[in-house]
Amino acid sequence: MKYTRHVILAAAISLCASMACGSAALADDGRGRSANTGEYDALDYDVSLEYKDNTRDMSGSTTMRARAAKDLKDVSLDFAGGRVGEVTVNGRPAESVTEGEKLKIKTRPLPKDSTFTVHVDFVVTRKNPDDPEHPGKQQHMPWLETDRGFIIEPQSPGTAHRVFPCKDDVTDKATYTFHVTAPSDLAGIANGDLTSTKKDPGGTTTRTYRLSHPVPTMDNQLAVGPYTQVNTHTRQDGVTIRDVVPTDRADRLRPVLTPRTDRQLDWLTAKLGRYPFTAYGTFAPLTPAAFESATLVTLPLPEPGKDFGDYLMVHEMAHQWFGASLTPKDNFGDDLWLAEGHAHLYGQWYASDPKNPGSEKALEAAMREAYGIDQGIRDEEGAPAKPGDYSKTGITQRTGGALALYALRQSVGPQTFEKIEQTAANRYQHKVISTQDYINIVREVSASDSATTVLKNWLYNPKTPPMPGHPNWHPTP
């Protein structure tokens, strides 16, 4: 099967976005859900990490505030790759034991619906787990080492617990405060709003970031390195824009990133409704990967003379709505198309005509190209909302998901489609959404069973359905 350049690009640039890269971590059930699911709901995390040169060990602490979902006699957190120090529950010392990738903590009885706080001091070693599919090699996530510093890639469900103790569950969203301490000639980076910068004794600086809207553990980013924050400004809609780039390349990258980010955000806001967070920006470290960390998307550093590309920028920006804010319930399979299909549709839509972003004709041309190869993709990977056991490339969720949305738009018309999108974005803002939830909104807003039939056919049919409004479109042999 031969895929076009655009389709291959779509798979490559989101390799670590919303989908597992390599084997799922042992702490989850293989679909991004912790074994702690059903015991308690994580509400907020306060996480501290301290980076020091010449060692991969980092001291840190996690304070988790949670609500008991049932009567509890103990509490478990997911954690791997480190040593645990003092543990307290509601301020009282608590006994704990580490079993595999679980930190089990004995507590006084915690009644159902009660709110409690767990504090864990720990030391984490920046070392990736062994890759069971390639003996003798390590997986590439979550740690990426640089000359001085590191970057984490926790955007695969079940890897954040290798960075700090947490309930590593894609369906249990929480708010976050991150404190990143590093030598003062380096910068500690995290997603969220930068709320303070404090110089500490001994030549270190601690930066504090606050993410005040709930996101999954996998949508956070932490890094240390020689970075500079540029293009910081507050838009009329109240959203703070900031870009983080290598200090020695700031002059080259500053004009590349602005004012494009503002134009793209204006365009997506018109399509999807108000931006769901208080801050947005790009992080361009020395890494080949792109992923949609909430409020601070990571983009591969472009080569001299090149830029990030409109498709990539809008794709990752669209994930702020469908991914970080509206999180797919089944983030490994049946619901993943909600994130990847939306990101691919809007990325292609914006980038297909550089002179006229958002051109209807350009969108039609891009979707026709995808339509031609869709059957081959379904044969290999399954339908967008019913993929095979494990779709390693994610192409069916991306291109098939985008085609499903385009078919829906063709069926109900642009205005009704826009209303469907904004209704979903508002109703499930900062929540978890399933395919059935989205289908219910389509039925409600369109008041049409035929529209839901069109969408379901595109999401579940092993054969590529006809494209509404385009009877002359045919799959490529």
Side-chain angles (χ1 to χ4, degrees), residues 41-47 62-66 164 166 172-178 191-192 209-217 220 277 294 324 430:
D41 297 321
L43 303 175
D44 181 77
Y45 291 91
D46 190 296
V47 179
T62 291
T63 301
M64 179 190 72
R65 185 168 57 87
F164 60 93
C166 60
D172 195 357
K173 304 170 73 168
T175 54
Y176 290 84
T177 299
F178 291 110
N191 49 325
Y209 300 83
R210 177 61 181 167
L211 188 59
S212 56
H213 295 100
V215 300
T217 52
N220 291 308
F277 299 99
H430 307 307

Side-chain angles (χ1 to χ4, degrees), residues 173 320-328 424-425 428-431 433:
K173 304 170 73 168
Q320 301 303 296
W321 280 267
F322 286 88
S325 179
L326 281 72
T327 302
Y428 288 92
Q429 186 177 75
H430 307 307
K431 298 177 182 178
I433 186 171

Side-chain angles (χ1 to χ4, degrees), residues 45-334:
Y45 291 91
D46 190 296
V47 179
S48 297
L49 281 174
E50 181 175 5
Y51 169 87
K52 295 181 179 179
D53 286 321
N54 303 316
T55 177
R56 291 198 175 191
D57 287 345
M58 296 194 299
S59 60
S61 67
T62 291
T63 301
M64 179 190 72
R65 185 168 57 87
R67 180 179 293 111
K70 62 181 182 180
D71 293 340
L72 297 177
K73 294 182 179 179
D74 55 58
V75 175
S76 292
L77 293 177
D78 303 308
F79 187 50
R83 306 186 302 275
V84 173
E86 182 180 13
V87 178
T88 64
V89 177
N90 292 334
R92 299 186 180 92
E95 295 182 11
S96 65
V97 60
T98 300
E99 296 181 1
E101 299 188 357
K102 288 290 180 185
L103 173 61
K104 296 187 176 182
I105 305 166
K106 293 183 179 180
T107 73
R108 296 185 179 185
L110 299 170
K112 180 181 178 181
D113 296 327
S114 64
T115 301
F116 62 93
T117 300
V118 176
H119 178 88
V120 181
D121 291 327
F122 64 92
V123 174
V124 64
T125 301
R126 300 193 306 275
K127 180 181 178 182
N128 291 327
D130 293 334
D131 187 344
E133 295 182 3
H134 300 90
K137 295 185 178 181
Q138 291 182 337
Q139 297 184 36
H140 72 281
M141 295 178 68
W143 299 106
L144 291 174
E145 295 294 310
T146 58
D147 288 342
R148 286 187 68 203
F150 67 91
I151 308 155
I152 65 166
E153 291 186 309
Q155 282 65 26
S156 172
T159 56
H161 72 287
R162 298 188 181 280
V163 181
F164 60 93
C166 60
K167 181 182 178 184
D168 207 355
D169 187 331
V170 70
T171 64
D172 195 357
K173 304 170 73 168
T175 54
Y176 290 84
T177 299
F178 291 110
H179 312 273
V180 188
T181 301
S184 293
D185 62 333
L186 301 177
I189 304 299
N191 49 325
D193 293 287
L194 176 61
T195 60
S196 71
T197 301
K198 177 184 176 184
K199 289 193 174 181
D200 309 307
T204 63
T205 298
T206 299
R207 289 173 172 83
T208 298
Y209 300 83
R210 177 61 181 167
L211 188 59
S212 56
H213 295 100
V215 300
T217 52
M218 69 177 188
D219 276 347
N220 291 308
Q221 170 62 281
L222 292 163
V224 167
Y227 299 116
T228 297
Q229 187 165 292
V230 299
N231 298 335
T232 303
H233 63 280
T234 300
R235 293 160 45 93
Q236 290 185 347
D237 58 7
V239 177
T240 299
I241 302 295
R242 66 172 178 129
D243 297 315
V244 180
V245 299
T247 302
D248 62 357
R249 309 188 192 193
D251 290 341
R252 176 170 72 86
L253 294 176
R254 184 182 288 108
V256 173
L257 289 166
T258 188
R260 290 168 68 195
T261 298
D262 281 305
R263 291 197 300 266
Q264 292 166 355
L265 193 55
D266 286 341
W267 185 80
L268 272 178
T269 299
K271 302 295 182 186
L272 297 173
R274 183 176 177 83
Y275 177 69
F277 299 99
T278 58
Y280 182 76
T282 56
F283 177 40
L286 301 172
T287 171
F291 41 91
E292 71 262 20
S293 342
T295 76
L296 188 68
V297 302
T298 304
L299 302 177
L301 193 66
E303 298 177 359
K306 298 183 179 180
D307 63 27
F308 299 95
D310 284 326
Y311 171 82
L312 180 57
M313 293 180 72
V314 175
H315 178 113
E316 302 301 347
M317 186 183 288
H319 273 311
Q320 301 303 296
W321 280 267
F322 286 88
S325 179
L326 281 72
T327 302
K329 184 176 182 180
D330 183 351
N331 211 63
F332 261 68
D334 295 355

Side-chain angles (χ1 to χ4, degrees), residues 380-420:
E380 291 191 5
E381 298 193 7
K386 197 174 180 60
D389 291 339
Y390 185 71
S391 174
K392 291 188 176 180
T393 67
I395 294 178
T396 189
Q397 290 98 329
R398 291 181 183 88
T399 61
L403 283 167
L405 292 168
Y406 181 71
L408 175 63
R409 186 174 186 269
Q410 289 291 104
S411 176
V412 301
Q415 290 184 336
T416 300
F417 178 73
E418 192 170 285
K419 187 177 180 181
I420 290 169

Side-chain angles (χ1 to χ4, degrees), residues 361-374 403 406 467 470-476:
K361 289 185 177 180
L363 173 64
E364 179 181 323
M367 292 298 101
R368 183 168 188 170
E369 181 181 11
Y371 185 89
I373 61 171
D374 182 70
L403 283 167
Y406 181 71
M467 179 60 71
H470 296 293
N472 59 326
W473 285 14
H474 302 288
T476 301

